[in-house]
Amino acid sequence: MSTIPNDIYPAADLPPATPGIGDSMIGVDEAGRVLRRFPLAALPVTAPQQAALDAMQAEVDAAVAGQTAGYEGRATVADLPAPGTPNRLILVGSDPNPDNNGTWRDTGSAWVKADDRVSELQAEVAGKADKSDLGIVQTIGRSVPPVDAPNVMSNTACAIWNEQIQSASLLYRIDVFAKAAGTLTIAAFSRSGWVFTRKSLVTVPVSAGLNTISLPDIPQFSVDAGDYIGFNPGAGVVASVPGTGDSGGYFLGTYGATVTDIDSAITINNIIQVGVSFAYLPSDGVIAARIAEVESEVTAIGLGEIVTVGKTLPPTVGSTANPTRTWVLNRPLPADARLMTVRAYANSACEMRVHHFSKSGNTFTRVGESSLVKLSAGVNEVNVADVPYFEAGQYVGFYEPTNSLRHDSTGADPEVGSFGYYDSGSNSSDPASFEDSNSAGAPVTLQIGFDFGEISRQSTIGRIVDNLSDAIGSSDTSVGVDIPSGYILIWAIGQSNTSGRAILLSGIEFDAGQAYKYVRSTTSLEVLADPTGNDSTAASGRGSWGPACAAEIRRLSNGNIGTIIVNSAEGGTSLVNSWNATGGAWVTAQTDLTNALSQAASLNLPIVGCCVYMQQGETDADNSITEAQYINLFRNLKNNVDGVIGEKVPFLMTRIGTKNTGDTPEYAAIRSAQNSVALTEAGVSLVHTGTKYFAGRGLMMDTFHYVLAGYEEIGAAVGNAAFGVALGVRPAGFAD
């Protein structure tokens, strides 16, 4: 038996080498004390790599924020307004001089072109990712230069090679012989049997003849280990010839989001004149490539043509207030676009909800989430902060319930007849769907305009979020699971601000099974949506705190915990009469709870948490109930509640605020009493005390009630507290 010399060589004397995907390290497997080969591709990310990744992620986060938040848009530099607002940012997207397109910053006295850090990052990553920095290369398809061939593939076909990606990699080269100029789309697929599902794609232009396209001319495109690679050619582009196919042959089907092999067999007797090469990068390199892919999309946001729907000139007071209804402007979006600016004239400060609509025949249906836009009295030019994206073909609509918006009906507006509108007629409740067969126009001109920045389909925010989440290898906790494993039941009592009085309904939506509300009129549990209150005013269509509360619980639990809201509040009620042991509101509330628990049991909804929520006291303040009287009345109510639902169930409260006309000693006395019971009564917590400042923050709708933004702020606070203290507590007597 030969022996291996154990001479020690200095590291400096060893030949330098760059490890790649096929290299390994030799080490001791501690589990069995044996020597093993450890492939480098399987080793975990090191601390220095993770630190570099974190630093890069921070740069991308800053870049994304800088590229997407709070922008205005103008078509050309000549369209920029007069300077005078330091640090104001405006995107220029369609200037005849390409060097002028990009972000411009107002210094206060002049407009200057702002640095584009995202493009710098993209160039930095692309510069590193040339062939000299790449690891082992895997070529799928032709590994020799493609040549002209007699046959042409259909532009509706998709060929997927029978070779999987070995490791997370970056596409760095495409070789194709094109029989005609056109495009070539490369896509990554997952496989289940003979069905392939597209995960991502990249499209490149090709010229007639031999094309060799490599970084940095290829858009950043990364793939995962196990992916299958396919392509879809433009008309008359890709050639093939009979012969032994590359990469073990290919599957063939019709190109689309899913591709099904047409004969459940691998084609092995045809050579397609296309080859695609992928390069393995170390862990931090793969993520850098994916981040660059995201950055390249972010850079494109808002840089396309500016599209205006509605008025292009500044809105004016016009002649007449708009009646209360839902309006839809009659121009569909010509491309995917981001709503950047809303321009409108308002008689007084108000809130407007901007909707997406689809149109089928004469029916308009609201789709997706809506955006809340706050307007001041006079001419408004509001940058939309929550980044609403519209798809090509959708219509923009709006609803404002206080008749504050305006139109001109005299025919004197210089833009009369340039655009029209559809509306919901006399329906003043902001319907989710309505019919209108006629697009009205001249002499009426709505005094409102919406400015959009066109974006490409591949740059939608959903794609960016998906890619960024994939790049950092983390899950999006705002998504969660479809059906919760259990529910927190919230029994809400009190008066109108618990029931809900916002004119606008919350745009937060839930799928079946995710959250429920109790509906008194049908004694049933329904999917949670506004209105959640059951008194007559709320049930007619008023917004509340409920959807925001359930959304917060869902967010905190990653979708594992749902919510059941039993809203038994009654407007104008007091602790003196309505909520005593024989009061009408208290008697009805007990019936609501009994019915809701019965429904939960019949639907097999596991209740894993429970709490009581109340906002009440305005009526008692108006009736001059003293602090001491309110404390005693509350203690009586709390004893009654404990006797019904159990003394271990937490009791959460929102403290009352002030009237919109100012504070009074009587309101201050009720707030003081509520402070006291939260300090002294077991199980009682004040979860929101900020309504005292709602008037100053513009969150009051009328003398006593709040706008939707106020209710949603309260709802998020209630949901946060309920998730923290209610889990594990069950209502007394509930048997499931």
Side-chain angles (χ1 to χ4, degrees):
M1 181 178 69
S2 61
T3 59
I4 300 175
N6 60 357
D7 297 341
I8 297 176
Y9 292 90
D13 293 345
L14 296 175
T18 301
I21 188 173
D23 293 329
S24 303
M25 293 179 61
I26 300 297
V28 176
D29 186 340
E30 292 291 341
R33 301 297 299 171
V34 295
L35 286 176
R36 274 190 56 195
R37 182 173 65 86
F38 294 87
L40 290 180
L43 295 179
V45 177
T46 65
Q49 287 175 326
Q50 186 63 49
L53 169 61
D54 291 342
M56 185 175 294
Q57 180 64 45
E59 286 190 298
V60 172
D61 289 344
V64 170
Q67 290 287 326
T68 60
Y71 276 116
E72 302 174 56
R74 297 293 188 273
T76 69
V77 169
D79 297 328
L80 292 173
T85 307
N87 296 320
R88 181 184 185 184
L89 297 176
I90 292 183
L91 286 173
V92 172
S94 302
D95 197 284
N97 181 354
D99 292 338
N100 286 340
N101 291 326
T103 304
W104 289 76
R105 181 173 60 84
D106 187 351
T107 65
S109 59
W111 288 98
V112 297
K113 188 79 176 294
D115 291 335
D116 187 352
R117 180 56 179 148
V118 169
S119 295
E120 293 174 10
L121 287 170
Q122 183 181 358
E124 178 182 336
V125 174
K128 291 178 179 178
D130 60 21
K131 188 173 181 180
S132 63
D133 290 335
L134 298 175
I136 299 300
V137 171
Q138 178 184 2
T139 297
I140 295 179
R142 289 268 78 187
S143 58
V144 296
V147 297
D148 193 8
N151 301 324
V152 178
M153 291 190 62
S154 167
N155 65 323
T156 63
C158 179
I160 302 173
W161 284 287
N162 184 30
E163 179 180 349
Q164 291 177 272
I165 292 292
Q166 297 173 3
S167 297
S169 305
L170 173 72
L171 174 62
Y172 92 94
R173 176 168 164 159
I174 301 172
D175 293 282
V176 56
F177 191 98
K179 296 185 74 68
T183 60
L184 180 68
T185 296
I186 306 296
F189 293 86
S190 61
R191 180 185 179 186
S192 176
W194 298 101
V195 178
F196 297 80
T197 301
R198 191 175 64 209
K199 297 173 58 179
S200 57
L201 59 85
V202 62
T203 300
V204 296
V206 295
S207 304
L210 180 61
N211 294 256
T212 298
I213 311 165
S214 57
L215 287 173
D217 296 326
I218 302 173
Q220 298 285 349
F221 181 69
S222 54
V223 294
D224 295 316
D227 284 351
Y228 288 82
I229 305 301
F231 70 90
N232 168 242
V237 170
V238 171
S240 67
V241 64
T244 303
D246 300 298
S247 297
Y250 59 87
F251 307 91
L252 186 66
T254 301
Y255 181 67
T258 60
V259 177
T260 302
D261 188 82
I262 56 177
D263 56 4
S264 300
I266 302 171
T267 302
I268 59 175
N269 57 358
N270 199 36
I271 303 172
I272 299 172
Q273 299 301 314
V274 177
V276 287
S277 298
F278 294 85
Y280 166 76
L281 295 175
S283 298
D284 53 355
V286 172
I287 294 177
R290 292 183 178 174
I291 289 175
E293 184 179 335
V294 174
E295 290 165 352
S296 67
E297 295 177 3
V298 174
T299 306
I301 290 181
L303 297 183
E305 181 181 352
I306 304 301
V307 176
T308 295
V309 178
K311 280 193 70 67
T312 59
L313 299 175
T316 68
V317 67
S319 62
T320 312
N322 290 353
T324 301
R325 58 189 59 176
T326 299
W327 309 79
V328 176
L329 299 189
N330 69 349
R331 180 187 180 186
L333 269 297
D336 291 351
R338 176 199 167 196
L339 177 58
M340 302 167 67
T341 308
V342 176
R343 295 173 291 103
Y345 189 98
N347 274 340
S348 57
C350 61
E351 288 183 340
M352 176 181 71
R353 188 168 288 282
V354 179
H355 299 308
H356 306 59
F357 279 93
S358 64
K359 183 176 186 290
S360 177
N362 297 325
T363 301
F364 292 83
T365 303
R366 203 162 67 214
V367 294
E369 293 189 1
S370 302
S371 301
L372 193 65
V373 177
K374 293 184 178 182
L375 302 175
S376 304
V379 178
N380 291 261
E381 185 169 333
V382 180
N383 296 329
V384 181
D386 59 353
V387 195
Y389 284 83
F390 284 67
E391 295 184 6
Q394 289 183 342
Y395 291 75
V396 59
F398 63 95
Y399 175 74
E400 192 286 309
T402 62
N403 307 114
S404 293
L405 299 185
R406 307 283 296 179
H407 66 270
D408 184 86
S409 59
T410 67
D413 190 284
E415 294 181 275
V416 63
S418 62
F419 65 94
Y421 62 88
Y422 302 91
D423 67 69
S424 61
S426 59
N427 189 336
S428 61
S429 63
D430 195 19
S433 179
F434 68 88
E435 291 190 7
D436 189 358
S437 59
N438 296 312
S439 173
V444 173
T445 307
L446 297 177
Q447 297 301 308
I448 192 167
F450 301 88
D451 296 329
F452 294 84
E454 286 190 357
I455 56 178
S456 72
R457 171 76 61 173
Q458 291 304 313
S459 296
T460 58
I461 197 67
R463 170 80 188 273
I464 291 171
V465 171
D466 289 346
N467 281 351
L468 187 56
S469 297
D470 180 51
I472 62 176
S474 64
S475 62
D476 181 0
T477 57
S478 67
V479 177
V481 297
D482 290 335
I483 302 299
S485 59
Y487 297 84
I488 294 176
L489 183 140
I490 301 177
W491 187 24
I493 60 177
Q495 54 185 108
S496 54
N497 276 326
T498 303
S499 189
R501 288 294 187 268
I503 297 296
L504 296 176
L505 303 180
S506 174
I508 299 172
E509 297 178 345
F510 299 91
D511 293 335
Q514 294 177 345
Y516 293 91
K517 65 177 180 180
Y518 173 73
V519 180
R520 182 183 296 160
S521 60
T522 60
T523 65
S524 62
L525 293 180
E526 299 180 3
V527 175
L528 180 62
D530 266 338
T532 62
N534 282 296
D535 69 358
S536 59
T537 302
S540 68
R542 295 299 182 94
S544 72
W545 54 274
C549 172
E552 181 70 1
I553 291 173
R554 181 167 169 77
R555 182 188 71 83
L556 291 170
S557 67
N558 193 26
N560 285 293
I561 303 299
T563 306
I564 301 172
I565 292 180
V566 184
N567 196 328
S568 299
E570 295 285 342
T573 54
S574 72
L575 295 190
V576 176
N577 299 314
S578 308
W579 292 100
N580 62 22
T582 59
W586 171 241
V587 171
T588 301
Q590 294 175 79
T591 302
D592 290 343
L593 180 63
T594 299
N595 291 338
L597 290 174
S598 175
Q599 283 290 303
S602 66
L603 294 174
N604 297 319
L605 303 179
I607 295 178
V608 296
C610 182
C611 66
V612 176
Y613 169 66
M614 183 180 87
Q615 183 174 359
Q616 192 279 335
E618 293 88 350
T619 297
D620 290 316
D622 289 339
N623 290 335
S624 300
I625 297 298
T626 67
E627 177 178 348
Q629 289 172 325
Y630 189 89
I631 291 173
N632 287 331
L633 290 166
F634 177 84
R635 286 173 175 163
N636 292 336
L637 173 63
K638 178 66 165 55
N639 287 335
N640 293 335
V641 168
D642 289 349
V644 170
I645 201 167
E647 61 181 16
K648 290 185 62 177
V649 173
F651 195 113
L652 311 181
M653 295 175 63
T654 289
R655 195 177 65 181
I656 69 166
T658 69
K659 296 182 178 181
N660 67 346
T661 54
D663 202 6
T664 69
E666 292 79 13
Y667 275 64
I670 299 299
R671 289 197 304 274
S672 180
Q674 292 173 342
N675 290 340
S676 178
V677 297
L679 289 171
T680 59
E681 300 301 311
V684 177
S685 301
L686 280 178
V687 299
H688 190 285
T689 60
T691 57
K692 176 181 178 181
Y693 310 104
F694 274 12
R697 294 171 57 193
L699 297 178
M700 298 294 291
M701 183 184 77
D702 54 29
T703 305
F704 308 102
H705 307 114
Y706 316 136
V707 297
L708 181 61
Y711 285 116
E712 292 191 331
E713 177 183 306
I714 292 170
V718 175
N720 193 296
F723 183 73
V725 301
L727 277 176
V729 181
R730 284 167 55 87
F734 179 64
D736 56 356

